[in-house]
Amino acid sequence: MHFALENELDLIRQTAAEFATSELEPNAARWDAEERFPREAIAKAAELGFLGMTVPEAYGGSELGNLALCVVLEELNRACASTGVTVSVHNSLVCTPLAKFGTEAQKQKFLPGLASGEILGAYSLTEPQAGSDAANQQTFAERRGDEYVINGTKIWVTSGDEAGLVLLYARTDRAERSKGISAFLVDRRDPRSAGLRIGTKEKKMGIRGSSTVELVCDDLRVPADHVLGKPGDGFKIALDTLDGGRIGIASQAVGIGRACLEASIKYSKERQQFGKAIGDFQAIQWKLADMATELDAARLLVHRAAWLRDRGERCTAQAAMAKLFASKAANRAADEAVQIHGGAGYTTDFPVERFFRDARITEIYEGATDIQRLVIARSLLG
Ligand code: CAA
């Protein structure tokens, strides 16, 4: 067992860190203030191969896998959580399930464009009455000849308006609960997708550069050969996919937490009170020590879960543990970072104000904190 990143992973980490420092860090506050989707940054991330990390080489991806993706996501999120979530959702919630469950024709049709960044992916599971209770899908897909006609409303769709491909879940059998759900590949460039309308765009507390929209399906037509997996397998695909997604969000949390720690260390050395740098006070030192320790522990949980997933092993509980712990650690780090900065941390003059808002979502999306506890407890109790 060894804990250092292998050479190739460390090179990838350095590339991501340089990209984050030069392209994301100088712009992140502005994208947040203007609620502007970081389109140019996503295009540059694509050039570096960061949009095809879970796509097999045969379809134009780098096939580097989940551990490498975590390493990249930590670096991106350290600078800009809006870019970070966009890249995470694209790789872990769209490319991964397509590569894993797609037919040859589906993979050939979508994976090369996803890997190159020509199209962005979105994952659409949540509905007004299907949040934590994701199996309570009300959107209905009716089979008519060689296509499905879908009606209903989906919400909280990350990149929903930016995406060329939406992995959309809908009920195909009203008599069943989770076994009555199917997964659809909705090609937004296809004229039959005219029935997919972009609804409300959310005004959010944090990750304001990331786009979060409602999707209204009004006689949305999807060819029957665009069902991912078998009809009725949609919910299992959704949850298997979220095992990977949760590792991505846990990486996001580690990245935001690290940004909080690094900003706090810098400020503790600069800010003078009572004739010395505040970092000379034990009260500040203990905060920094706790932040660093929790973030290291979080990273180890994240890397373990990603390593298991890369080996093809079930990692449902480990992914939930990583997300639960990392998101809590990020929020504690953000809280302490604002405290260390005092009044300055409560203003937009310092980035910790943004980190504090961005950290909050990591406890909510891709399964709220208590859902992670539920998943972990189920694995313990059987
Ligand atoms: N992998 C594969 N299959 C799984 C699975 C997994 N991780 N977890 C469960 N399953 C299977 C179960 O074995 C079961 O199959 P059988 O009936 O054959 O045994 C089936 O799926 C149904 O599972 P449950 O009975 O456990 O289902 P449930 O209704 O009790 O729900 C839940 C479980 C854990 C609460 C689930 O609903 C859940 O995770 N809720 C949270 C939803 C969520 O995370 N939403 C995120 C939205 S996406 C988002 O936020 C993305 C974004 O844009 C950023």
Side-chain angles (χ1 to χ4, degrees):
M1 184 181 266
H2 51 96
F3 291 96
L5 291 181
E6 281 156 14
N7 276 349
E8 191 193 16
L9 275 183
D10 199 46
L11 278 174
I12 295 165
R13 189 196 60 71
Q14 277 174 39
T15 307
E18 281 161 22
F19 167 68
T21 302
S22 63
E23 304 288 340
L24 305 183
E25 223 171 271
N27 298 305
R30 183 170 51 83
W31 293 334
D32 171 72
E34 295 173 1
E35 294 180 281
R36 194 159 105 51
F37 185 75
R39 206 162 288 118
E40 304 83 351
I42 299 296
K44 285 182 184 156
E47 280 168 28
L48 293 170
F50 295 156
L51 297 195
M53 298 191 68
T54 59
V55 174
E57 283 179 1
Y59 302 96
S62 65
E63 209 173 338
L64 286 163
N66 291 283
L67 184 54
L69 179 60
C70 288
V71 168
V72 168
L73 287 176
E74 179 181 329
E75 295 299 335
L76 303 191
N77 281 290
R78 181 186 57 76
C80 175
S82 295
T83 305
V85 68
T86 308
V87 174
S88 181
V89 165
H90 174 92
N91 276 286
S92 62
L93 296 188
V94 183
C95 295
T96 299
L98 184 50
K100 190 166 175 181
F101 302 105
T103 62
E104 188 52 38
Q106 290 169 347
K107 290 193 272 194
Q108 278 182 13
K109 180 165 183 185
F110 295 112
L111 283 177
L114 288 166
S116 70
E118 185 194 329
I119 53 168
L120 199 60
Y123 176 94
S124 180
L125 177 68
T126 307
E127 298 183 3
Q129 302 307 321
S132 289
D133 184 8
N136 189 35
Q137 298 281 307
Q138 305 297 317
T139 295
F140 193 74
E142 187 189 333
R143 179 84 191 242
R144 286 190 209 156
D146 61 357
E147 61 185 24
Y148 284 86
V149 179
I150 307 181
N151 282 284
T153 300
K154 313 297 287 184
I155 55 172
W156 309 131
V157 187
T158 301
S159 309
D161 52 344
E162 300 287 337
L165 176 68
V166 181
L167 175 52
L168 187 140
Y169 297 88
R171 180 165 299 288
T172 41
D173 185 345
R174 288 201 173 92
E176 295 276 357
R177 194 175 126 88
S178 65
K179 290 186 173 59
I181 297 167
S182 303
F184 295 90
L185 296 166
V186 180
D187 182 353
R188 285 198 53 223
R189 303 164 300 182
D190 186 327
R192 285 170 292 193
S193 300
L196 188 73
R197 186 169 57 77
I198 311 297
T200 312
K201 184 170 179 190
E202 303 299 340
K203 293 188 79 68
K204 304 192 296 290
M205 173 196 283
I207 54 160
R208 287 157 53 92
S210 148
S211 180
T212 309
V213 296
E214 176 188 53
L215 291 179
V216 181
C217 307
D218 187 3
D219 282 343
L220 163 66
R221 292 161 54 210
V222 181
D225 62 4
H226 280 39
V227 171
L228 184 66
K230 289 199 292 292
D233 280 354
F235 196 62
K236 285 189 184 182
I237 292 175
L239 292 188
D240 177 83
T241 298
L242 281 168
D243 287 348
R246 287 167 184 168
I247 302 172
I249 299 307
S251 313
Q252 173 176 57
V254 175
I256 298 170
R258 219 180 94 203
C260 293
L261 176 63
E262 287 170 6
S264 299
I265 292 170
K266 182 167 181 282
Y267 193 73
S268 301
K269 289 180 178 170
E270 288 166 6
R271 172 72 172 158
Q272 300 275 326
Q273 286 290 275
F274 303 101
K276 52 186 175 181
I278 60 170
D280 288 339
F281 292 105
Q282 201 174 48
I284 301 291
Q285 292 170 1
W286 286 22
K287 286 186 197 299
L288 298 176
D290 285 349
M291 286 158 82
T293 305
E294 289 193 16
L295 291 170
D296 267 13
R299 184 182 299 105
L300 288 171
L301 284 173
V302 171
H303 286 192
R304 177 185 68 165
W307 176 80
L308 278 171
R309 195 157 168 84
D310 282 336
R311 286 163 62 98
E313 290 183 34
R314 180 93 180 244
C315 64
T316 305
Q318 291 84 357
M321 285 177 185
K323 182 175 184 291
L324 171 66
F325 189 83
S327 60
K328 285 271 174 209
N331 278 280
R332 281 192 290 266
D335 188 48
E336 292 292 32
V338 171
Q339 196 65 27
I340 289 168
H341 283 71
Y346 200 63
T347 71
T348 54
D349 293 346
F350 285 82
V352 292
E353 177 268 346
R354 172 166 51 90
F355 303 154
F356 184 86
R357 291 185 285 103
D358 286 347
R360 197 64 190 83
I361 190 61
T362 64
E363 278 205 65
I364 298 171
Y365 57 20
E366 300 207 24
T369 290
D370 288 330
I371 291 298
Q372 307 311 324
R373 291 192 170 113
L374 178 149
V375 169
I376 297 161
R378 281 183 182 180
S379 79
L380 299 174
L381 297 168

